[in-house]
Amino acid sequence: MEIPSLNAILAFLAVGGGFLFIRWRLNPLSRIPTVGGPSIPGLSILSTVNFLRNSKDLLVQGYEKYQGSTFKVALLDQWLVIVSGSELVDEVRKRPELSLATFLEDIFQMKHTLGPDALGDNFHVPIIRDQLTRSLGSALPEVIEELSIALPQCIPGTSSDWVSVNVSHVSQKLITRASSRIFVGQPLCRNEDYLKIALDFTMDVVNDRLTMSKMPDFLRTPVMSWTSSTRRSVARSIPLLKPIIDQRKALMEEYGADWTDKPKDVLQWVLDEAVPRNLSDERVAMRLHLVNFAAIHTSSNSLVHALYDLGAFPEYIQPIRDEIESIVAVDGWTKEGISKMSKLDSLLRESQRIHGISLISVTRKAMADVTLRDGTFLPKGTCVAAATWATHYDEGNFEKAAAFDAFRFSRMREAPGQGTKHQFVHTSVEYIPFGHGAHACPGRFFASNEIKAVLAFLLVNYDIQFEPGQSRPDNIFIAENILPNHDAKMLFRRRGTLELH
Ligand code: HEM
Ligand SMILES: *[C@@H]1O[C@H](CO)[C@@H](O)[C@H](O)[C@H]1NC(C)=O
Ligand SMILES: *[C@@H]1O[C@H](CO)[C@@H](O)[C@H](O)[C@H]1NC(C)=O
């Protein structure tokens, strides 16, 4: 066979390259400006690498440069269109062709790990939004009881000595334990094997997603059925869950829809939906872990941010503690009491604004071609989101936006008619850590209540501070994720005996 000449190879490359280039020019996405590097085929990898490392700065740059319009950044294996400005955020959250569930399915490739039914039939969303939220009153004393047992186990030392504590570790332990009490009840919420699966589940999903990003779509199904961290964890949790599921199913068989002492937990509500659908125990476990995935790291990282903020601004600790103690003295540890703690609420709202857990939210995927109000054309299949951090640091949205001011929102709430508008759980086009609109995070009422309970209980029972000379450790930005530093320690000191009532 004849060896092709250099000219022939060059001609072939030129034609092939030209073809790719023309195809790209015809792609409607090429008209949306790219921030962070080139968008032409082959070179867009540079934009991906840039976004992995400099996501925060790129999103802020794009947000400012394209105010009232859109730009795009490069994720691992697709483009993400970012809308900048309140009007577009409002449009994105309202457009029916833009779907959150499909975005989540796409970004985590859940059909390969959690099964095809999870987001198509998302019955866990009303469970979280309605049933879980309605039961916060009865859940709170249980959360407090769980904390009073778990805290001394996490923070050793009974004396009045300062002990050095890995903040991330303690936060994960407390949140997993408290959440599990309300998700699966006793005694499973104290089973270390179960707690480890519940906590690690988020990383399982992330690991599987990374594995899948390295292969074409047709390989994902076989590879994931052969090796998947998610599926392995689901399988390991089945022997722990099965006896409880069997027992609950027997009660449902005997008594029907309701009976005295019917458990009020996520597992039961999932079973209420799963039994009529004849879903297997494996599917029940998957749904439960999907809730763990949505709930645990989000809440834990938010608690870590708040603890670091109190370390960085210790002057806020005593006023918040005074408020907690005076309310608990009257209301006890109740949901009513917790909801009166407006300084604590303000601290969490501000901590989430200044730090938060994601640079983007109001994430959606176009189910059909969509033209936005500024003329941006999103072809079917395009992913779109708002720039959360940039929105929260916009001087037009918040006065002295870059300054951490723990009581900014509790002061605003003192104005007439502003009582609920600036609460932690309240979303708007300017405040989007939980997204916004009909699909805003359904778990935010639970999250707010639980994080407040943990923080209030900690502040009443412990003094906390950074080690001398240490300041707030920098956040870590990886693509769209904001992670609080996971290795920093703080000093904790017990204040008297554990205060339960
Ligand atoms: C501080 C903690 C949390 C933060 C910051 C947070 C944030 C978010 C965000 C940004 C979304 C997407 C909404 C959008 O982009 O429009 C979301 C969705 C969701 N969150 Fe949360 N979340 C938190 C805690 C929780 C908890 C504790 C649960 C469960 C108990 C939960 C369950 C969910 C679910 C199921 C969805 C998907 C909703 C749907 O498919 O319509 N989240 N969350
Ligand atoms: C602190 O705890 C986190 C979460 O458990 C862990 O990932 C990290 O390695 C720990 N850091 C140190 C220094 O022990
Ligand atoms: C329910 O599922 C089981 C196995 O998954 C199957 O054997 C059974 O026939 C199903 N029952 C109904 C009523 O669909």
Side-chain angles (χ1 to χ4, degrees), residues 171 175 298-308 451 454-455 458:
S171 173
I175 293 288
T298 48
S299 302
S300 172
N301 285 344
S302 301
L303 175 61
V304 173
H305 279 311
L307 286 166
Y308 288 166
I451 299 169
V454 177
L455 206 47
L458 267 174

Side-chain angles (χ1 to χ4, degrees), residues 109-338:
Q109 290 284 299
M110 288 201 189
K111 63 174 177 287
H112 298 294
T113 51
L114 281 169
D117 60 327
L119 293 154
D121 176 15
N122 56 359
F123 63 75
H124 59 285
V125 172
I127 286 179
I128 293 167
R129 190 187 51 223
D130 306 327
Q131 281 161 294
L132 182 63
T133 304
R134 269 203 303 273
S135 75
L136 290 179
S138 59
L140 192 90
E142 298 191 46
V143 167
I144 295 291
E145 184 184 82
E146 218 47 52
L147 291 174
S148 64
I149 303 166
L151 249 182
Q153 296 170 354
C154 295
I155 304 176
T158 48
S159 63
S160 55
D161 292 339
W162 287 102
V163 266
S164 178
V165 168
N166 176 335
V167 179
S168 195
H169 179 75
V170 167
S171 173
Q172 289 181 351
K173 286 268 175 196
L174 296 177
I175 293 288
T176 313
R177 182 84 174 254
S179 307
S180 295
R181 171 78 181 246
I182 310 305
F183 293 176
V184 297
Q186 300 187 77
L188 199 54
C189 69
R190 297 182 191 155
N191 180 311
E192 288 300 330
D193 295 332
Y194 174 78
L195 291 171
K196 187 166 162 41
I197 294 170
L199 173 65
D200 291 346
F201 200 75
T202 303
M203 287 322 292
D204 293 334
V205 175
V206 172
N207 283 339
D208 284 351
R209 180 65 185 95
L210 284 176
T211 309
M212 282 188 274
S213 72
K214 296 179 195 118
M215 61 188 66
D217 201 42
F218 72 94
L219 279 179
R220 291 177 179 179
T221 302
V223 169
M224 280 298 120
S225 57
W226 169 56
T227 170
S228 150
S229 315
T230 317
R231 292 189 187 190
R232 209 173 305 127
S233 293
V234 170
R236 273 194 289 132
S237 71
I238 301 255
L240 302 169
L241 289 164
K242 180 108 173 74
I244 303 170
I245 293 176
D246 287 346
Q247 188 196 22
R248 303 263 182 111
K249 279 185 175 166
L251 288 166
M252 291 166 78
E253 187 102 326
E254 192 174 346
Y255 299 112
D258 204 6
W259 62 90
T260 345
D261 301 334
K262 183 178 176 187
K264 279 196 208 161
D265 56 30
V266 170
L267 177 59
Q268 183 59 49
W269 298 321
V270 167
L271 283 170
D272 288 346
E273 298 297 325
V275 168
R277 288 170 171 80
N278 196 26
L279 297 183
S280 64
D281 292 348
E282 193 191 22
R283 287 261 180 270
V284 169
M286 283 176 169
R287 198 60 71 118
L288 179 66
H289 292 310
L290 180 59
V291 178
N292 285 329
F293 167 69
I296 293 183
H297 281 258
T298 48
S299 302
S300 172
N301 285 344
S302 301
L303 175 61
V304 173
H305 279 311
L307 286 166
Y308 288 166
D309 289 333
L310 289 175
F313 300 96
E315 64 272 24
Y316 292 125
I317 294 178
Q318 201 53 42
I320 294 175
R321 182 185 281 145
D322 288 345
E323 182 188 68
I324 297 166
E325 286 181 333
S326 68
I327 290 170
V328 170
V330 177
D331 292 298
W333 288 104
T334 58
K335 183 200 156 222
E336 290 67 38
I338 294 273

Side-chain angles (χ1 to χ4, degrees), residues 100-101 104 119 122 124-125 128 132 183 291 294-296 298-299 302 352 357 360-364 424 432-436 439-444 446-447 450-451:
L100 170 64
L104 295 174
L119 293 154
N122 56 359
H124 59 285
V125 172
I128 293 167
L132 182 63
F183 293 176
V291 178
I296 293 183
T298 48
S299 302
S302 301
Q352 200 70 231
I357 59 171
I360 59 168
S361 60
V362 201
T363 48
R364 303 287 186 269
F424 184 27
I432 49 177
F434 294 112
H436 184 46
H439 293 284
C441 174
R444 66 193 191 280
F446 176 82
E450 179 182 69
I451 299 169

